[in-house]
Amino acid sequence: MELARGFLFVWILAILSLHHYSSNVNARYHYHKKQKAKGSNGGSPLSPSPIYAPDPQGHVPSSPVDVPAPQDPVPSTPVDPPYNPPSIPSNPYPNDPGNATDCIFDVTSYGAVGDGSSDDTAAFREAWKAACAVESATILAPSDKVFIITSTIFSGPCKPGLVFQVDGVLMPPDGPDCWPTADSRKQWLVFYRLDDMKLTGNGIIEGNGQKWWELPCKPHRGPNGSNMPGPCDSPAMIRFFMSSNLVVSGIRIQNSPQFHMKFDGCEGVLIEKLSISTPKLSPNTDGIHIENTKSVGIYKSMISNGDDCISIGPGCSNVDIEDVTCGPSHGISIGSLGVHNSQACVSNITVRNAFIRESDNGVRIKTWQGGSGSVSGISFENIQMENVRNCIIVDQYYCLTKACLNQTSAVYVSDVQYRNIKGTYDVRSTPIHFACSDTVACTNITMAEVELLPHEGELMDDPFCWNAYGIEETPTIPLIGCLQEGMPQTITETSRYSC
């Protein structure tokens, strides 16, 4: 009897142990989504090439209940029930926000034709509307297509990380006769109230500016080289307005009707590897114009056009320009400032490691008479000139006609440094020209290692100075004998011109 009871006890114990072991084995089979590797793009294994993928900022939300990690596998035994692990689909999370394809908004998917004649404006607006609502989205204008867009404002606010990628060609209607009458003639593409946005791509933004340049109201386009009266508005090509944390990179922009790119009321702007190209005689085609804009970097770009290569207007500060090739053009300009007796404040501007060639001006500060405010903390350094008129110029008598009257107030120019500026100048103008206001002198000008030789001939022109004060740290070529030492006796009066 005791033997039978013992056998029964062992038999029950074996059954319970086998059941517990089988349950443990089955409980260990769970499919866990793989964690993102450090530095991965967050997309699925089937995501397209990362050239169009958004920045790797998103993470897949974790489950409210954490699933325990799998334990070390238990060796199988002959008594284990047969088990076939579940098949894992190629994309187990088709609606995963980390999937890169969900973040690309191809304008052709919204009806854009891209044949160079159809109006694709509506498609771009719809793609913008959809992408604006998605974080790290990319609006794609694909390669091998030419898109026609009429004047459009792409407005925010949008989710951060928005990319406008142009791999094909974008262009406006061809000239003023084709411009829709209901559209503004002052601007073409406007990006408004955006934060953390990038304009990039391998394509071209073409301005079709030729017919605008030939309007008889433009300089020297009327009969016998005159300017005819009449409407003369021409659209700026690309404008960023009241936006922040912007990047413009790698794009080619050409043949704008007027300014190629404008930044107004912006903060935090990075421009790099930009190419701007327009004929030398195209009027008012500034390359990059900024005003009321702070914290700007312009790097490794090439600009040739018919006006200022880069122009810095009122309200700008903390601007860094480096590795820019400029010309033919009108050079790199601060101004014009103080027009219509206005106040202008510009500070902390640095231009270095630049090459300026075949240009009407080199580095220039230009102000109107009658203005107020100040230009200060300016540094021009390591700049090479080649056949440039007015290599170094401060012009406080800037005027577009001969009818400007002399006025006593002026924008106060001070703390301007010119260091290691070398090359050749066009002999039609003196290479160094400081024409400061009669009543508000330019002060604290520093000259060091300035060597400018005539591009043709051997006769060097003497520099010109008027009411300009500063020092020569090293002898210049040509010699500057007109720069006054110290400070003017009336310097205390200039305090009312500071910002």
Side-chain angles (χ1 to χ4, degrees), residues 321-342:
I321 302 169
E322 186 171 4
D323 292 333
V324 170
T325 298
C326 180
S329 71
H330 290 186
I332 297 174
S333 294
I334 297 174
S336 59
L337 305 174
V339 65
H340 304 311
N341 303 101
S342 62

Side-chain angles (χ1 to χ4, degrees), residues 124 141 146-147 149 164 166 168-172 188-189 204-207:
F124 273 80
V146 179
F147 301 97
I149 309 174
F164 197 111
V166 180
V169 177
L170 265 60
M171 63 173 63
W188 177 40
L189 300 181
I204 298 173
I205 302 181
E206 165 64 50

Side-chain angles (χ1 to χ4, degrees), residues 213-229 283:
W213 307 331
E214 294 174 351
L215 289 173
C217 59
K218 293 297 177 78
H220 314 299
R221 294 304 198 274
N224 300 319
S226 63
N227 294 23
M228 297 293 290

